[in-house]
Amino acid sequence: MLTAAPWSSTGCAPAEHLDGPIGSDGHAVAVDEPDDEEGEGPAAGEASFTTREITRDLAYPMRIVWGPDGHLWLTERTSKQVVRVRPQDGLRTPAVTVTEAFQSGGQDGVLGLALHPDLLQGKGRDYVYVSYTYDVDPGAAVDRRTKIRRYTYDPATETLGSPLDVIAGLPGSDDHNSARLLFGIDQKLYYTVGDQGNNQFGRKCLSIRAQELPTAADVAAQDWAKYAGKILRLNLDGSIPGDNPQIAGARSHVYSYGHRNPQGLTFGLGGMLYANEHGPKSDDELNVILPGKNYGWPHVAGYQDDQAYTYDNWSASSPDSCESLWWNDYTPPPSVPRQQESAFSHPDFEEPLLTFFTVPSGYNYFDPACGFLQYICWPTIAPSSLHYYPAGNGNPAEAGIPGWGNSLLMTTLKKGALYRVKLSTNGESVVGEPVVLFKTTNRYRDLAMSPDRRTLYVITDTAGNTSGPTGGATTALENPGAILEFKYTDSN
Ligand SMILES: [Ca+2]
Ligand SMILES: [Ca+2]
Ligand SMILES: [Ca+2]
């Protein structure tokens, strides 16, 4: 069923949703950017797109990918389903319910999704990979872990069956699971594991393990507890690739470490791997991921600049025990040890390519406009996905959207927007300022593209907090649990 959005089919979102200048007819005016290296002219701005809500009221969609069957494949976190959606009319076909999945909190359930590139290619590898949290405590208590499972798709019944566990016993939490699953161009699985939300809120007395590395004994015992705050690289059968980096004397699934909450992961030109991750109050990061490198968390947020971040380790509180303390997001009690970023030193430390956003020390994080939802007004934007937008290589059929070639696209939860970051020709640096597009009163969770890369599909959270249409914070989402279509039209 096609549900019309308040702003659908007009080819123009209401002015209050747009960042750019508004023309006399109320439509946004494309903002010219400097020409890119290919001389394509100005990059297409949001005035060049029509918008449409394909469906809504999905059960917290987490991942959306374009399938070879012309359908959009999604995970729904709270229904525990993989669902296929026909983009023309929003028709939904559930492919499987992961009954073993456990979901009770705000960030657990059925999460990651990756399609094998041979899916529906007649090669006998109709495989779909899914990640989810499950409960290993047989009693009333809950003890989450995460599993990556492979299913086989049967096009006759349009269902996923023959479940086969790729890896089990990964860290699992109700917070900061990250859980982006990517099928690599090297036929490996890449998977992000967040810091589990430790050292904050209700988990303030659990230490962050992002700097802890598995030993050979851990690997032999298949003890994956130290995989929190890591990006993993796995063989398709779950084993450890022989060419994974040897870090601190042991080879494991760990590809990179020192991560907080990396929700975006994508391959760029020449196989370069990029990730983004949520910062604390400042310093969401965009990183180039290199094997064996240390991305600094929790000792460093963003650049190692001692600006507006210190590592306050609640679990090490003394003499007052952490359990006796009240959580405070701004000024911890004096018993909590505080470390400046400059106190950290590591030969494999990598700084980010870009931050969203770094603020000076002494920055006042309190904004009365956000009331009790202060975090919505913090400088971070909560990047929720990352997608490489390739250049067309001179082929007009692959030209995509003018000026967008060799960019990274990232969705954000706060401010409900798509950020487009132009890369340099070698992909190792950023060109100009990020461009903010398609801003609505929603939480954008992930993005898929049509094969011609001219139509973008964005999924939104079913509920939650985001930036209000005129600033401040709101819980009133415009398109809850929706797929929004942004279709490029070159008629402008
Ligand atoms: Ca239990
Ligand atoms: Ca970092
Ligand atoms: Ca910093």
Side-chain angles (χ1 to χ4, degrees):
M1 177 180 116
L2 195 151
T3 312
W7 42 271
S8 73
S9 73
T10 62
C12 170
E16 65 265 26
H17 301 306
L18 303 174
D19 273 349
I22 307 301
S24 57
D25 61 354
H27 283 59
V29 176
V31 180
D32 285 3
E33 290 186 292
D35 291 1
D36 68 5
E37 303 86 20
E38 293 146 35
E40 290 175 273
E46 60 191 6
S48 307
F49 291 80
T50 57
T51 58
R52 180 172 72 102
E53 184 186 272
I54 290 175
T55 188
R56 67 160 61 190
D57 297 327
L58 291 158
Y60 288 88
M62 278 298 289
R63 181 60 153 169
I64 181 168
V65 291
W66 179 273
D69 55 350
H71 281 62
L72 296 161
W73 291 60
L74 296 91
T75 49
E76 285 185 320
R77 186 170 63 80
T78 60
S79 77
K80 308 175 189 175
Q81 288 186 333
V82 177
V83 181
R84 293 165 56 251
V85 176
R86 194 162 65 189
Q88 291 83 359
D89 59 2
L91 179 76
R92 295 182 208 175
T93 310
V96 71
T97 301
V98 184
T99 52
E100 191 197 29
F102 177 86
Q103 188 277 320
S104 70
Q107 300 191 22
D108 58 350
V110 174
L111 305 169
L113 177 71
L115 308 184
H116 194 295
D118 291 343
L119 174 64
L120 296 173
Q121 305 304 309
K123 297 178 179 176
R125 288 186 288 272
D126 295 319
Y127 300 143
V128 172
Y129 300 86
V130 178
S131 80
Y132 58 92
T133 52
Y134 63 106
D135 177 18
V136 295
D137 182 298
V142 174
D143 188 5
R144 290 179 189 77
R145 297 288 186 278
T146 297
K147 188 178 273 194
I148 300 173
R149 174 178 276 184
R150 190 192 84 183
Y151 287 95
T152 302
Y153 184 62
D154 178 357
T157 58
E158 301 188 321
T159 56
L160 291 168
S162 307
L164 186 71
D165 290 348
V166 173
I167 192 169
L170 298 174
S173 177
D174 57 355
D175 197 6
H176 290 195
N177 284 310
S178 300
R180 280 305 178 204
L181 182 60
L182 192 63
F183 196 101
I185 53 177
D186 54 0
Q187 303 280 309
K188 308 295 180 192
L189 290 173
Y190 288 77
Y191 191 66
T192 66
V193 185
D195 72 356
Q196 312 291 288
N198 291 358
N199 200 41
Q200 63 173 7
F201 308 117
R203 299 175 67 94
K204 69 179 188 298
C205 298
L206 299 167
S207 66
I208 294 171
R209 308 189 72 176
Q211 294 289 324
E212 292 182 33
L213 291 162
T215 62
D218 293 330
V219 172
Q222 301 196 19
D223 177 354
W224 313 134
K226 291 173 185 163
Y227 283 5
K230 311 295 190 296
I231 296 177
L232 309 181
R233 179 173 182 262
L234 306 88
N235 286 323
L236 299 182
D237 64 0
S239 62
I240 295 170
D243 57 349
N244 265 11
Q246 182 123 357
I247 312 175
R251 180 174 289 120
S252 68
H253 295 100
V254 174
Y255 191 69
S256 64
Y257 63 107
H259 298 289
R260 186 172 184 270
N261 188 13
Q263 293 194 2
L265 192 64
T266 192
F267 281 101
L269 200 63
M272 280 182 73
L273 185 61
Y274 299 88
N276 55 17
E277 66 180 62
H278 293 204
K281 292 195 282 296
S282 64
D283 293 290
D284 293 330
E285 298 180 354
L286 176 62
N287 288 301
V288 174
I289 301 300
L290 299 168
K293 291 294 184 179
N294 179 350
Y295 290 81
W297 183 254
H299 299 289
V300 179
Y303 308 105
Q304 192 168 16
D305 55 8
D306 284 336
Q307 287 189 196
Y309 172 75
T310 53
Y311 173 34
D312 304 329
N313 185 356
W314 286 71
S315 65
S317 175
S318 175
D320 302 322
S321 74
C322 176
E323 287 75 15
S324 70
L325 305 176
W326 290 97
W327 170 249
N328 183 314
D329 222 331
Y330 299 93
T331 310
S335 63
V336 173
R338 167 166 281 194
Q339 186 192 79
Q340 296 290 326
E341 289 182 330
S342 54
F344 173 73
S345 174
H346 195 283
D348 294 330
F349 172 63
E350 279 287 312
E351 285 201 318
L353 198 56
L354 194 64
T355 62
F356 308 85
F357 291 93
T358 298
V359 294
S361 292
Y363 179 86
N364 180 13
Y365 283 109
F366 184 79
D367 185 339
C370 271
F372 66 95
L373 296 173
Q374 279 302 306
Y375 77 98
I376 294 295
C377 281
W378 292 344
T380 45
I381 56 176
S384 49
S385 73
L386 189 63
H387 309 269
Y388 182 63
Y389 196 96
N393 297 323
N395 180 352
E398 295 175 1
I401 299 165
W404 283 35
N406 201 29
S407 294
L408 292 168
L409 307 180
M410 56 185 242
T411 53
T412 71
L413 300 176
K414 291 158 64 173
K415 309 187 201 306
L418 181 75
Y419 280 64
R420 188 173 66 77
V421 178
K422 184 79 178 174
L423 292 169
S424 63
T425 305
N426 67 8
E428 291 173 4
S429 61
V430 164
V431 176
E433 294 289 316
V435 180
V436 184
L437 296 157
F438 310 140
K439 196 171 171 190
T440 64
T441 307
N442 285 302
R443 291 166 59 85
Y444 288 177
R445 181 59 68 171
D446 192 21
L447 163 77
M449 285 183 253
S450 61
D452 69 359
R453 296 180 284 112
R454 291 193 163 207
T455 305
L456 310 178
Y457 303 94
V458 172
I459 47 173
T460 66
D461 279 5
T462 304
N465 313 308
T466 191
S467 314
T470 57
T474 183
T475 57
L477 301 182
E478 205 172 355
N479 307 91
I483 304 174
L484 303 180
E485 178 190 82
F486 300 94
K487 193 180 186 70
Y488 175 71
T489 164
D490 54 8
S491 60
N492 292 282

